Amino acid sequence: MVIMTISESVILGIMQGLGEFLPISSSGHLIIVPYLFNLKPHSLSFDVALHLGTLCAVGIYFFSDWLKLIKQGFLSLKEGTLAGTSERRLFWFILIATIPGALAGKFLENNAETAFRKPLLVALALGGFALILYLAQKINKGTKSLSDIKLRDAFLIGLAQSLAIFPGISRSGATIASGLFLNLKKEEAVRFSFLLSFPIILGAGILKFKDIIIECQNHAFYFLAGFSVSALFGLLSIHFLLRFIRKYSFNLFIWYRIAVSLLVIIVFILRKG
């Protein structure tokens, strides 16, 4: 079942656009917002349609970056060497870092649609990962830029991204935290997280494209509204975080995650009672 009102599709579009790039978990919010406000249930295909909105956002924002990366990637194949600009290595590092997340999505897809989508589990993941993000920020030395990362670093960040199969962890939160643990500068960890989001979201969109088309036949306007709002707020959140993190820490998002986690747990206890 999908959303049956435009207002609900817009609300979830906003949640996706903000949550995909801010380290607060878009997939978690797409579960707990309907839970908290008793909204109608929606399908995983609608979730993926919202993710395609954020795919457009990151594609537009980093369009010139991806042109350089793809060009250098093809040149490395043509010339048979990674020697040259840092974009050559970065292109292949991003693709390699995408593999763990793609495998997690492939083999845990059924659980992602059922067992992992429990509000209480999402709340625990939100709160628990807030502590991990705090620890990563605390020990980060900020000594590396993207041109300094090695294959091992990229793969470890990719492994962290695979944890996003659990709603509440946050794809951006996991990749940013792992980048901080590996001593990437804050801005560089955020930037790599954003670049890394493109292939994984694209892959999920391709796999679910048939389901999206089928549902769109009867609910096209709701899908379009959610997609458009998600893209708009995705652009805004990318721009905001890149500027915000130059001056401030991740504490705002850490405390937000803890507050939302506690709210969901309290609501869960009251409703059970």
Side-chain angles (χ1 to χ4, degrees), residues 28 31-32 35 116 118-130 167-168 257-258 260-266 268:
I31 294 169
I32 61 176
Y35 173 74
F116 297 162
K118 308 295 184 184
L120 185 59
L121 291 178
V122 174
L124 294 175
L126 279 169
F129 201 81
R257 292 176 68 106
I258 292 173
V260 173
S261 174
L262 292 175
L263 174 63
V264 174
I265 291 172
I266 291 171
F268 179 82

mmCIF file with all atom_site columns, all heavy atoms in Angstrom, residues 28 31-32 35 116 118-130 167-168 257-258 260-266 268:
data_model
loop_
_atom_site.group_PDB
_atom_site.id
_atom_site.type_symbol
_atom_site.label_atom_id
_atom_site.label_alt_id
_atom_site.label_comp_id
_atom_site.label_asym_id
_atom_site.label_entity_id
_atom_site.label_seq_id
_atom_site.pdbx_PDB_ins_code
_atom_site.Cartn_x
_atom_site.Cartn_y
_atom_site.Cartn_z
_atom_site.occupancy
_atom_site.B_iso_or_equiv
_atom_site.pdbx_formal_charge
_atom_site.auth_seq_id
_atom_site.auth_comp_id
_atom_site.auth_asym_id
_atom_site.auth_atom_id
_atom_site.pdbx_PDB_model_num
ATOM 1   N N   . GLY A 1 28  ? 15.106 5.428  8.594  1.00 0.00 ? 28  GLY A N   1
ATOM 2   C CA  . GLY A 1 28  ? 14.541 5.393  9.934  1.00 0.00 ? 28  GLY A CA  1
ATOM 3   C C   . GLY A 1 28  ? 13.377 6.351  10.084 1.00 0.00 ? 28  GLY A C   1
ATOM 4   O O   . GLY A 1 28  ? 12.333 6.008  10.655 1.00 0.00 ? 28  GLY A O   1
ATOM 5   N N   . ILE A 1 31  ? 10.060 5.385  8.674  1.00 0.00 ? 31  ILE A N   1
ATOM 6   C CA  . ILE A 1 31  ? 9.336  4.411  9.488  1.00 0.00 ? 31  ILE A CA  1
ATOM 7   C C   . ILE A 1 31  ? 8.737  5.063  10.729 1.00 0.00 ? 31  ILE A C   1
ATOM 8   O O   . ILE A 1 31  ? 7.560  4.865  11.046 1.00 0.00 ? 31  ILE A O   1
ATOM 9   C CB  . ILE A 1 31  ? 10.271 3.251  9.902  1.00 0.00 ? 31  ILE A CB  1
ATOM 10  C CG1 . ILE A 1 31  ? 10.695 2.459  8.662  1.00 0.00 ? 31  ILE A CG1 1
ATOM 11  C CG2 . ILE A 1 31  ? 9.590  2.328  10.922 1.00 0.00 ? 31  ILE A CG2 1
ATOM 12  C CD1 . ILE A 1 31  ? 11.803 1.466  8.920  1.00 0.00 ? 31  ILE A CD1 1
ATOM 13  N N   . ILE A 1 32  ? 9.546  5.873  11.431 1.00 0.00 ? 32  ILE A N   1
ATOM 14  C CA  . ILE A 1 32  ? 9.065  6.406  12.710 1.00 0.00 ? 32  ILE A CA  1
ATOM 15  C C   . ILE A 1 32  ? 8.094  7.580  12.553 1.00 0.00 ? 32  ILE A C   1
ATOM 16  O O   . ILE A 1 32  ? 7.225  7.768  13.413 1.00 0.00 ? 32  ILE A O   1
ATOM 17  C CB  . ILE A 1 32  ? 10.239 6.817  13.627 1.00 0.00 ? 32  ILE A CB  1
ATOM 18  C CG1 . ILE A 1 32  ? 11.086 7.916  12.984 1.00 0.00 ? 32  ILE A CG1 1
ATOM 19  C CG2 . ILE A 1 32  ? 11.078 5.621  13.994 1.00 0.00 ? 32  ILE A CG2 1
ATOM 20  C CD1 . ILE A 1 32  ? 12.194 8.433  13.891 1.00 0.00 ? 32  ILE A CD1 1
ATOM 21  N N   . TYR A 1 35  ? 4.769  6.135  12.157 1.00 0.00 ? 35  TYR A N   1
ATOM 22  C CA  . TYR A 1 35  ? 4.434  5.504  13.434 1.00 0.00 ? 35  TYR A CA  1
ATOM 23  C C   . TYR A 1 35  ? 3.980  6.541  14.462 1.00 0.00 ? 35  TYR A C   1
ATOM 24  O O   . TYR A 1 35  ? 2.950  6.363  15.134 1.00 0.00 ? 35  TYR A O   1
ATOM 25  C CB  . TYR A 1 35  ? 5.643  4.740  13.956 1.00 0.00 ? 35  TYR A CB  1
ATOM 26  C CG  . TYR A 1 35  ? 5.471  4.189  15.357 1.00 0.00 ? 35  TYR A CG  1
ATOM 27  C CD1 . TYR A 1 35  ? 4.655  3.093  15.600 1.00 0.00 ? 35  TYR A CD1 1
ATOM 28  C CD2 . TYR A 1 35  ? 6.136  4.772  16.434 1.00 0.00 ? 35  TYR A CD2 1
ATOM 29  C CE1 . TYR A 1 35  ? 4.493  2.581  16.879 1.00 0.00 ? 35  TYR A CE1 1
ATOM 30  C CE2 . TYR A 1 35  ? 5.983  4.274  17.719 1.00 0.00 ? 35  TYR A CE2 1
ATOM 31  C CZ  . TYR A 1 35  ? 5.162  3.180  17.942 1.00 0.00 ? 35  TYR A CZ  1
ATOM 32  O OH  . TYR A 1 35  ? 5.006  2.688  19.213 1.00 0.00 ? 35  TYR A OH  1
ATOM 33  N N   . PHE A 1 116 ? 13.409 -5.549 9.820  1.00 0.00 ? 116 PHE A N   1
ATOM 34  C CA  . PHE A 1 116 ? 14.185 -4.378 10.222 1.00 0.00 ? 116 PHE A CA  1
ATOM 35  C C   . PHE A 1 116 ? 13.329 -3.119 10.372 1.00 0.00 ? 116 PHE A C   1
ATOM 36  O O   . PHE A 1 116 ? 13.811 -2.113 10.882 1.00 0.00 ? 116 PHE A O   1
ATOM 37  C CB  . PHE A 1 116 ? 15.291 -4.096 9.202  1.00 0.00 ? 116 PHE A CB  1
ATOM 38  C CG  . PHE A 1 116 ? 16.311 -5.196 9.081  1.00 0.00 ? 116 PHE A CG  1
ATOM 39  C CD1 . PHE A 1 116 ? 17.135 -5.268 7.963  1.00 0.00 ? 116 PHE A CD1 1
ATOM 40  C CD2 . PHE A 1 116 ? 16.461 -6.152 10.073 1.00 0.00 ? 116 PHE A CD2 1
ATOM 41  C CE1 . PHE A 1 116 ? 18.084 -6.279 7.842  1.00 0.00 ? 116 PHE A CE1 1
ATOM 42  C CE2 . PHE A 1 116 ? 17.404 -7.167 9.963  1.00 0.00 ? 116 PHE A CE2 1
ATOM 43  C CZ  . PHE A 1 116 ? 18.208 -7.232 8.835  1.00 0.00 ? 116 PHE A CZ  1
ATOM 44  N N   . LYS A 1 118 ? 10.866 -2.139 12.270 1.00 0.00 ? 118 LYS A N   1
ATOM 45  C CA  . LYS A 1 118 ? 10.116 -2.013 13.517 1.00 0.00 ? 118 LYS A CA  1
ATOM 46  C C   . LYS A 1 118 ? 10.505 -0.711 14.212 1.00 0.00 ? 118 LYS A C   1
ATOM 47  O O   . LYS A 1 118 ? 11.699 -0.439 14.407 1.00 0.00 ? 118 LYS A O   1
ATOM 48  C CB  . LYS A 1 118 ? 10.407 -3.195 14.446 1.00 0.00 ? 118 LYS A CB  1
ATOM 49  C CG  . LYS A 1 118 ? 10.215 -4.571 13.801 1.00 0.00 ? 118 LYS A CG  1
ATOM 50  C CD  . LYS A 1 118 ? 8.774  -4.826 13.436 1.00 0.00 ? 118 LYS A CD  1
ATOM 51  C CE  . LYS A 1 118 ? 8.606  -6.249 12.898 1.00 0.00 ? 118 LYS A CE  1
ATOM 52  N NZ  . LYS A 1 118 ? 7.222  -6.519 12.449 1.00 0.00 ? 118 LYS A NZ  1
ATOM 53  N N   . PRO A 1 119 ? 9.519  0.110  14.607 1.00 0.00 ? 119 PRO A N   1
ATOM 54  C CA  . PRO A 1 119 ? 9.831  1.409  15.217 1.00 0.00 ? 119 PRO A CA  1
ATOM 55  C C   . PRO A 1 119 ? 10.777 1.332  16.414 1.00 0.00 ? 119 PRO A C   1
ATOM 56  O O   . PRO A 1 119 ? 11.670 2.174  16.558 1.00 0.00 ? 119 PRO A O   1
ATOM 57  C CB  . PRO A 1 119 ? 8.453  1.932  15.633 1.00 0.00 ? 119 PRO A CB  1
ATOM 58  C CG  . PRO A 1 119 ? 7.509  1.296  14.656 1.00 0.00 ? 119 PRO A CG  1
ATOM 59  C CD  . PRO A 1 119 ? 8.074  -0.078 14.414 1.00 0.00 ? 119 PRO A CD  1
ATOM 60  N N   . LEU A 1 120 ? 10.602 0.337  17.275 1.00 0.00 ? 120 LEU A N   1
ATOM 61  C CA  . LEU A 1 120 ? 11.471 0.230  18.449 1.00 0.00 ? 120 LEU A CA  1
ATOM 62  C C   . LEU A 1 120 ? 12.908 -0.067 18.049 1.00 0.00 ? 120 LEU A C   1
ATOM 63  O O   . LEU A 1 120 ? 13.851 0.498  18.619 1.00 0.00 ? 120 LEU A O   1
ATOM 64  C CB  . LEU A 1 120 ? 10.951 -0.846 19.399 1.00 0.00 ? 120 LEU A CB  1
ATOM 65  C CG  . LEU A 1 120 ? 11.708 -0.969 20.732 1.00 0.00 ? 120 LEU A CG  1
ATOM 66  C CD1 . LEU A 1 120 ? 11.665 0.356  21.502 1.00 0.00 ? 120 LEU A CD1 1
ATOM 67  C CD2 . LEU A 1 120 ? 11.120 -2.094 21.576 1.00 0.00 ? 120 LEU A CD2 1
ATOM 68  N N   . LEU A 1 121 ? 13.099 -0.939 17.063 1.00 0.00 ? 121 LEU A N   1
ATOM 69  C CA  . LEU A 1 121 ? 14.446 -1.238 16.581 1.00 0.00 ? 121 LEU A CA  1
ATOM 70  C C   . LEU A 1 121 ? 15.090 0.004  15.970 1.00 0.00 ? 121 LEU A C   1
ATOM 71  O O   . LEU A 1 121 ? 16.285 0.260  16.156 1.00 0.00 ? 121 LEU A O   1
ATOM 72  C CB  . LEU A 1 121 ? 14.406 -2.369 15.547 1.00 0.00 ? 121 LEU A CB  1
ATOM 73  C CG  . LEU A 1 121 ? 14.039 -3.769 16.067 1.00 0.00 ? 121 LEU A CG  1
ATOM 74  C CD1 . LEU A 1 121 ? 14.006 -4.757 14.905 1.00 0.00 ? 121 LEU A CD1 1
ATOM 75  C CD2 . LEU A 1 121 ? 15.032 -4.217 17.131 1.00 0.00 ? 121 LEU A CD2 1
ATOM 76  N N   . VAL A 1 122 ? 14.295 0.767  15.233 1.00 0.00 ? 122 VAL A N   1
ATOM 77  C CA  . VAL A 1 122 ? 14.795 2.016  14.636 1.00 0.00 ? 122 VAL A CA  1
ATOM 78  C C   . VAL A 1 122 ? 15.226 2.978  15.729 1.00 0.00 ? 122 VAL A C   1
ATOM 79  O O   . VAL A 1 122 ? 16.280 3.617  15.640 1.00 0.00 ? 122 VAL A O   1
ATOM 80  C CB  . VAL A 1 122 ? 13.722 2.662  13.745 1.00 0.00 ? 122 VAL A CB  1
ATOM 81  C CG1 . VAL A 1 122 ? 14.191 4.029  13.247 1.00 0.00 ? 122 VAL A CG1 1
ATOM 82  C CG2 . VAL A 1 122 ? 13.402 1.770  12.550 1.00 0.00 ? 122 VAL A CG2 1
ATOM 83  N N   . ALA A 1 123 ? 14.425 3.099  16.781 1.00 0.00 ? 123 ALA A N   1
ATOM 84  C CA  . ALA A 1 123 ? 14.756 4.004  17.887 1.00 0.00 ? 123 ALA A CA  1
ATOM 85  C C   . ALA A 1 123 ? 16.063 3.604  18.549 1.00 0.00 ? 123 ALA A C   1
ATOM 86  O O   . ALA A 1 123 ? 16.913 4.456  18.854 1.00 0.00 ? 123 ALA A O   1
ATOM 87  C CB  . ALA A 1 123 ? 13.623 4.001  18.913 1.00 0.00 ? 123 ALA A CB  1
ATOM 88  N N   . LEU A 1 124 ? 16.242 2.313  18.784 1.00 0.00 ? 124 LEU A N   1
ATOM 89  C CA  . LEU A 1 124 ? 17.477 1.834  19.403 1.00 0.00 ? 124 LEU A CA  1
ATOM 90  C C   . LEU A 1 124 ? 18.676 2.090  18.503 1.00 0.00 ? 124 LEU A C   1
ATOM 91  O O   . LEU A 1 124 ? 19.761 2.446  18.982 1.00 0.00 ? 124 LEU A O   1
ATOM 92  C CB  . LEU A 1 124 ? 17.353 0.341  19.715 1.00 0.00 ? 124 LEU A CB  1
ATOM 93  C CG  . LEU A 1 124 ? 16.315 -0.030 20.785 1.00 0.00 ? 124 LEU A CG  1
ATOM 94  C CD1 . LEU A 1 124 ? 16.202 -1.549 20.908 1.00 0.00 ? 124 LEU A CD1 1
ATOM 95  C CD2 . LEU A 1 124 ? 16.662 0.587  22.136 1.00 0.00 ? 124 LEU A CD2 1
ATOM 96  N N   . ALA A 1 125 ? 18.487 1.921  17.188 1.00 0.00 ? 125 ALA A N   1
ATOM 97  C CA  . ALA A 1 125 ? 19.576 2.178  16.247 1.00 0.00 ? 125 ALA A CA  1
ATOM 98  C C   . ALA A 1 125 ? 19.928 3.658  16.205 1.00 0.00 ? 125 ALA A C   1
ATOM 99  O O   . ALA A 1 125 ? 21.107 4.033  16.158 1.00 0.00 ? 125 ALA A O   1
ATOM 100 C CB  . ALA A 1 125 ? 19.186 1.688  14.853 1.00 0.00 ? 125 ALA A CB  1
ATOM 101 N N   . LEU A 1 126 ? 18.916 4.513  16.240 1.00 0.00 ? 126 LEU A N   1
ATOM 102 C CA  . LEU A 1 126 ? 19.155 5.961  16.245 1.00 0.00 ? 126 LEU A CA  1
ATOM 103 C C   . LEU A 1 126 ? 19.984 6.365  17.459 1.00 0.00 ? 126 LEU A C   1
ATOM 104 O O   . LEU A 1 126 ? 20.967 7.101  17.342 1.00 0.00 ? 126 LEU A O   1
ATOM 105 C CB  . LEU A 1 126 ? 17.825 6.719  16.248 1.00 0.00 ? 126 LEU A CB  1
ATOM 106 C CG  . LEU A 1 126 ? 17.102 6.888  14.924 1.00 0.00 ? 126 LEU A CG  1
ATOM 107 C CD1 . LEU A 1 126 ? 15.679 7.428  15.156 1.00 0.00 ? 126 LEU A CD1 1
ATOM 108 C CD2 . LEU A 1 126 ? 17.866 7.828  14.001 1.00 0.00 ? 126 LEU A CD2 1
ATOM 109 N N   . GLY A 1 127 ? 19.575 5.906  18.619 1.00 0.00 ? 127 GLY A N   1
ATOM 110 C CA  . GLY A 1 127 ? 20.282 6.269  19.838 1.00 0.00 ? 127 GLY A CA  1
ATOM 111 C C   . GLY A 1 127 ? 21.653 5.643  19.938 1.00 0.00 ? 127 GLY A C   1
ATOM 112 O O   . GLY A 1 127 ? 22.639 6.301  20.301 1.00 0.00 ? 127 GLY A O   1
ATOM 113 N N   . GLY A 1 128 ? 21.741 4.363  19.599 1.00 0.00 ? 128 GLY A N   1
ATOM 114 C CA  . GLY A 1 128 ? 23.020 3.668  19.698 1.00 0.00 ? 128 GLY A CA  1
ATOM 115 C C   . GLY A 1 128 ? 24.065 4.235  18.764 1.00 0.00 ? 128 GLY A C   1
ATOM 116 O O   . GLY A 1 128 ? 25.231 4.427  19.146 1.00 0.00 ? 128 GLY A O   1
ATOM 117 N N   . PHE A 1 129 ? 23.664 4.536  17.526 1.00 0.00 ? 129 PHE A N   1
ATOM 118 C CA  . PHE A 1 129 ? 24.644 5.046  16.577 1.00 0.00 ? 129 PHE A CA  1
ATOM 119 C C   . PHE A 1 129 ? 25.025 6.492  16.871 1.00 0.00 ? 129 PHE A C   1
ATOM 120 O O   . PHE A 1 129 ? 26.091 6.947  16.445 1.00 0.00 ? 129 PHE A O   1
ATOM 121 C CB  . PHE A 1 129 ? 24.143 4.926  15.139 1.00 0.00 ? 129 PHE A CB  1
ATOM 122 C CG  . PHE A 1 129 ? 25.252 4.965  14.132 1.00 0.00 ? 129 PHE A CG  1
ATOM 123 C CD1 . PHE A 1 129 ? 25.995 3.831  13.863 1.00 0.00 ? 129 PHE A CD1 1
ATOM 124 C CD2 . PHE A 1 129 ? 25.598 6.144  13.506 1.00 0.00 ? 129 PHE A CD2 1
ATOM 125 C CE1 . PHE A 1 129 ? 27.056 3.866  12.967 1.00 0.00 ? 129 PHE A CE1 1
ATOM 126 C CE2 . PHE A 1 129 ? 26.650 6.200  12.599 1.00 0.00 ? 129 PHE A CE2 1
ATOM 127 C CZ  . PHE A 1 129 ? 27.381 5.052  12.335 1.00 0.00 ? 129 PHE A CZ  1
ATOM 128 N N   . ALA A 1 130 ? 24.185 7.199  17.625 1.00 0.00 ? 130 ALA A N   1
ATOM 129 C CA  . ALA A 1 130 ? 24.563 8.544  18.060 1.00 0.00 ? 130 ALA A CA  1
ATOM 130 C C   . ALA A 1 130 ? 25.840 8.488  18.890 1.00 0.00 ? 130 ALA A C   1
ATOM 131 O O   . ALA A 1 130 ? 26.722 9.352  18.761 1.00 0.00 ? 130 ALA A O   1
ATOM 132 C CB  . ALA A 1 130 ? 23.428 9.173  18.874 1.00 0.00 ? 130 ALA A CB  1
ATOM 133 N N   . PRO A 1 167 ? 17.463 0.299  9.220  1.00 0.00 ? 167 PRO A N   1
ATOM 134 C CA  . PRO A 1 167 ? 16.922 1.658  9.385  1.00 0.00 ? 167 PRO A CA  1
ATOM 135 C C   . PRO A 1 167 ? 17.252 2.222  10.762 1.00 0.00 ? 167 PRO A C   1
ATOM 136 O O   . PRO A 1 167 ? 17.138 1.540  11.774 1.00 0.00 ? 167 PRO A O   1
ATOM 137 C CB  . PRO A 1 167 ? 15.409 1.442  9.220  1.00 0.00 ? 167 PRO A CB  1
ATOM 138 C CG  . PRO A 1 167 ? 15.289 0.209  8.392  1.00 0.00 ? 167 PRO A CG  1
ATOM 139 C CD  . PRO A 1 167 ? 16.414 -0.675 8.844  1.00 0.00 ? 167 PRO A CD  1
ATOM 140 N N   . GLY A 1 168 ? 17.681 3.461  10.775 1.00 0.00 ? 168 GLY A N   1
ATOM 141 C CA  . GLY A 1 168 ? 18.071 4.101  12.028 1.00 0.00 ? 168 GLY A CA  1
ATOM 142 C C   . GLY A 1 168 ? 19.576 4.274  12.147 1.00 0.00 ? 168 GLY A C   1
ATOM 143 O O   . GLY A 1 168 ? 20.049 5.155  12.855 1.00 0.00 ? 168 GLY A O   1
ATOM 144 N N   . ARG A 1 257 ? 19.425 12.744 17.328 1.00 0.00 ? 257 ARG A N   1
ATOM 145 C CA  . ARG A 1 257 ? 19.193 11.300 17.261 1.00 0.00 ? 257 ARG A CA  1
ATOM 146 C C   . ARG A 1 257 ? 18.773 10.750 18.618 1.00 0.00 ? 257 ARG A C   1
ATOM 147 O O   . ARG A 1 257 ? 17.852 9.937  18.715 1.00 0.00 ? 257 ARG A O   1
ATOM 148 C CB  . ARG A 1 257 ? 20.457 10.588 16.773 1.00 0.00 ? 257 ARG A CB  1
ATOM 149 C CG  . ARG A 1 257 ? 20.831 10.856 15.323 1.00 0.00 ? 257 ARG A CG  1
ATOM 150 C CD  . ARG A 1 257 ? 22.140 10.170 14.983 1.00 0.00 ? 257 ARG A CD  1
ATOM 151 N NE  . ARG A 1 257 ? 21.971 8.729  14.990 1.00 0.00 ? 257 ARG A NE  1
ATOM 152 C CZ  . ARG A 1 257 ? 21.928 7.968  13.881 1.00 0.00 ? 257 ARG A CZ  1
ATOM 153 N NH1 . ARG A 1 257 ? 22.064 8.524  12.689 1.00 0.00 ? 257 ARG A NH1 1
ATOM 154 N NH2 . ARG A 1 257 ? 21.755 6.666  13.981 1.00 0.00 ? 257 ARG A NH2 1
ATOM 155 N N   . ILE A 1 258 ? 19.452 11.189 19.677 1.00 0.00 ? 258 ILE A N   1
ATOM 156 C CA  . ILE A 1 258 ? 19.126 10.711 21.022 1.00 0.00 ? 258 ILE A CA  1
ATOM 157 C C   . ILE A 1 258 ? 17.717 11.144 21.407 1.00 0.00 ? 258 ILE A C   1
ATOM 158 O O   . ILE A 1 258 ? 16.932 10.358 21.963 1.00 0.00 ? 258 ILE A O   1
ATOM 159 C CB  . ILE A 1 258 ? 20.161 11.239 22.032 1.00 0.00 ? 258 ILE A CB  1
ATOM 160 C CG1 . ILE A 1 258 ? 21.521 10.581 21.769 1.00 0.00 ? 258 ILE A CG1 1
ATOM 161 C CG2 . ILE A 1 258 ? 19.698 10.959 23.459 1.00 0.00 ? 258 ILE A CG2 1
ATOM 162 C CD1 . ILE A 1 258 ? 22.655 11.157 22.595 1.00 0.00 ? 258 ILE A CD1 1
ATOM 163 N N   . VAL A 1 260 ? 15.104 11.926 19.442 1.00 0.00 ? 260 VAL A N   1
ATOM 164 C CA  . VAL A 1 260 ? 14.088 11.193 18.670 1.00 0.00 ? 260 VAL A CA  1
ATOM 165 C C   . VAL A 1 260 ? 13.993 9.746  19.144 1.00 0.00 ? 260 VAL A C   1
ATOM 166 O O   . VAL A 1 260 ? 12.901 9.174  19.250 1.00 0.00 ? 260 VAL A O   1
ATOM 167 C CB  . VAL A 1 260 ? 14.403 11.257 17.163 1.00 0.00 ? 260 VAL A CB  1
ATOM 168 C CG1 . VAL A 1 260 ? 13.447 10.361 16.373 1.00 0.00 ? 260 VAL A CG1 1
ATOM 169 C CG2 . VAL A 1 260 ? 14.304 12.689 16.665 1.00 0.00 ? 260 VAL A CG2 1
ATOM 170 N N   . SER A 1 261 ? 15.136 9.153  19.445 1.00 0.00 ? 261 SER A N   1
ATOM 171 C CA  . SER A 1 261 ? 15.155 7.787  19.959 1.00 0.00 ? 261 SER A CA  1
ATOM 172 C C   . SER A 1 261 ? 14.344 7.674  21.243 1.00 0.00 ? 261 SER A C   1
ATOM 173 O O   . SER A 1 261 ? 13.492 6.771  21.386 1.00 0.00 ? 261 SER A O   1
ATOM 174 C CB  . SER A 1 261 ? 16.602 7.345  20.213 1.00 0.00 ? 261 SER A CB  1
ATOM 175 O OG  . SER A 1 261 ? 16.636 6.076  20.836 1.00 0.00 ? 261 SER A OG  1
ATOM 176 N N   . LEU A 1 262 ? 14.577 8.577  22.176 1.00 0.00 ? 262 LEU A N   1
ATOM 177 C CA  . LEU A 1 262 ? 13.832 8.565  23.439 1.00 0.00 ? 262 LEU A CA  1
ATOM 178 C C   . LEU A 1 262 ? 12.349 8.801  23.222 1.00 0.00 ? 262 LEU A C   1
ATOM 179 O O   . LEU A 1 262 ? 11.505 8.172  23.874 1.00 0.00 ? 262 LEU A O   1
ATOM 180 C CB  . LEU A 1 262 ? 14.410 9.617  24.385 1.00 0.00 ? 262 LEU A CB  1
ATOM 181 C CG  . LEU A 1 262 ? 15.828 9.343  24.914 1.00 0.00 ? 262 LEU A CG  1
ATOM 182 C CD1 . LEU A 1 262 ? 16.323 10.526 25.738 1.00 0.00 ? 262 LEU A CD1 1
ATOM 183 C CD2 . LEU A 1 262 ? 15.854 8.064  25.740 1.00 0.00 ? 262 LEU A CD2 1
ATOM 184 N N   . LEU A 1 263 ? 12.018 9.699  22.292 1.00 0.00 ? 263 LEU A N   1
ATOM 185 C CA  . LEU A 1 263 ? 10.606 9.989  21.999 1.00 0.00 ? 263 LEU A CA  1
ATOM 186 C C   . LEU A 1 263 ? 9.888  8.740  21.498 1.00 0.00 ? 263 LEU A C   1
ATOM 187 O O   . LEU A 1 263 ? 8.786  8.416  21.968 1.00 0.00 ? 263 LEU A O   1
ATOM 188 C CB  . LEU A 1 263 ? 10.508 11.105 20.961 1.00 0.00 ? 263 LEU A CB  1
ATOM 189 C CG  . LEU A 1 263 ? 9.097  11.416 20.441 1.00 0.00 ? 263 LEU A CG  1
ATOM 190 C CD1 . LEU A 1 263 ? 8.205  11.903 21.575 1.00 0.00 ? 263 LEU A CD1 1
ATOM 191 C CD2 . LEU A 1 263 ? 9.147  12.448 19.321 1.00 0.00 ? 263 LEU A CD2 1
ATOM 192 N N   . VAL A 1 264 ? 10.498 8.042  20.571 1.00 0.00 ? 264 VAL A N   1
ATOM 193 C CA  . VAL A 1 264 ? 9.869  6.839  20.016 1.00 0.00 ? 264 VAL A CA  1
ATOM 194 C C   . VAL A 1 264 ? 9.723  5.764  21.087 1.00 0.00 ? 264 VAL A C   1
ATOM 195 O O   . VAL A 1 264 ? 8.692  5.083  21.163 1.00 0.00 ? 264 VAL A O   1
ATOM 196 C CB  . VAL A 1 264 ? 10.679 6.302  18.821 1.00 0.00 ? 264 VAL A CB  1
ATOM 197 C CG1 . VAL A 1 264 ? 10.101 4.972  18.335 1.00 0.00 ? 264 VAL A CG1 1
ATOM 198 C CG2 . VAL A 1 264 ? 10.678 7.317  17.689 1.00 0.00 ? 264 VAL A CG2 1
ATOM 199 N N   . ILE A 1 265 ? 10.739 5.608  21.914 1.00 0.00 ? 265 ILE A N   1
ATOM 200 C CA  . ILE A 1 265 ? 10.674 4.601  22.986 1.00 0.00 ? 265 ILE A CA  1
ATOM 201 C C   . ILE A 1 265 ? 9.547  4.926  23.961 1.00 0.00 ? 265 ILE A C   1
ATOM 202 O O   . ILE A 1 265 ? 8.778  4.042  24.373 1.00 0.00 ? 265 ILE A O   1
ATOM 203 C CB  . ILE A 1 265 ? 12.022 4.515  23.728 1.00 0.00 ? 265 ILE A CB  1
ATOM 204 C CG1 . ILE A 1 265 ? 13.087 3.909  22.798 1.00 0.00 ? 265 ILE A CG1 1
ATOM 205 C CG2 . ILE A 1 265 ? 11.891 3.677  25.001 1.00 0.00 ? 265 ILE A CG2 1
ATOM 206 C CD1 . ILE A 1 265 ? 14.496 3.955  23.362 1.00 0.00 ? 265 ILE A CD1 1
ATOM 207 N N   . ILE A 1 266 ? 9.414  6.203  24.311 1.00 0.00 ? 266 ILE A N   1
ATOM 208 C CA  . ILE A 1 266 ? 8.346  6.621  25.238 1.00 0.00 ? 266 ILE A CA  1
ATOM 209 C C   . ILE A 1 266 ? 6.975  6.365  24.625 1.00 0.00 ? 266 ILE A C   1
ATOM 210 O O   . ILE A 1 266 ? 6.064  5.838  25.287 1.00 0.00 ? 266 ILE A O   1
ATOM 211 C CB  . ILE A 1 266 ? 8.516  8.110  25.603 1.00 0.00 ? 266 ILE A CB  1
ATOM 212 C CG1 . ILE A 1 266 ? 9.757  8.301  26.476 1.00 0.00 ? 266 ILE A CG1 1
ATOM 213 C CG2 . ILE A 1 266 ? 7.270  8.630  26.336 1.00 0.00 ? 266 ILE A CG2 1
ATOM 214 C CD1 . ILE A 1 266 ? 10.133 9.747  26.702 1.00 0.00 ? 266 ILE A CD1 1
ATOM 215 N N   . PHE A 1 268 ? 6.242  4.236  22.313 1.00 0.00 ? 268 PHE A N   1
ATOM 216 C CA  . PHE A 1 268 ? 6.076  2.779  22.230 1.00 0.00 ? 268 PHE A CA  1
ATOM 217 C C   . PHE A 1 268 ? 5.591  2.221  23.566 1.00 0.00 ? 268 PHE A C   1
ATOM 218 O O   . PHE A 1 268 ? 4.661  1.407  23.607 1.00 0.00 ? 268 PHE A O   1
ATOM 219 C CB  . PHE A 1 268 ? 7.401  2.135  21.835 1.00 0.00 ? 268 PHE A CB  1
ATOM 220 C CG  . PHE A 1 268 ? 7.346  0.634  21.741 1.00 0.00 ? 268 PHE A CG  1
ATOM 221 C CD1 . PHE A 1 268 ? 6.868  0.025  20.600 1.00 0.00 ? 268 PHE A CD1 1
ATOM 222 C CD2 . PHE A 1 268 ? 7.768  -0.159 22.805 1.00 0.00 ? 268 PHE A CD2 1
ATOM 223 C CE1 . PHE A 1 268 ? 6.813  -1.363 20.497 1.00 0.00 ? 268 PHE A CE1 1
ATOM 224 C CE2 . PHE A 1 268 ? 7.708  -1.538 22.723 1.00 0.00 ? 268 PHE A CE2 1
ATOM 225 C CZ  . PHE A 1 268 ? 7.237  -2.150 21.566 1.00 0.00 ? 268 PHE A CZ  1
#
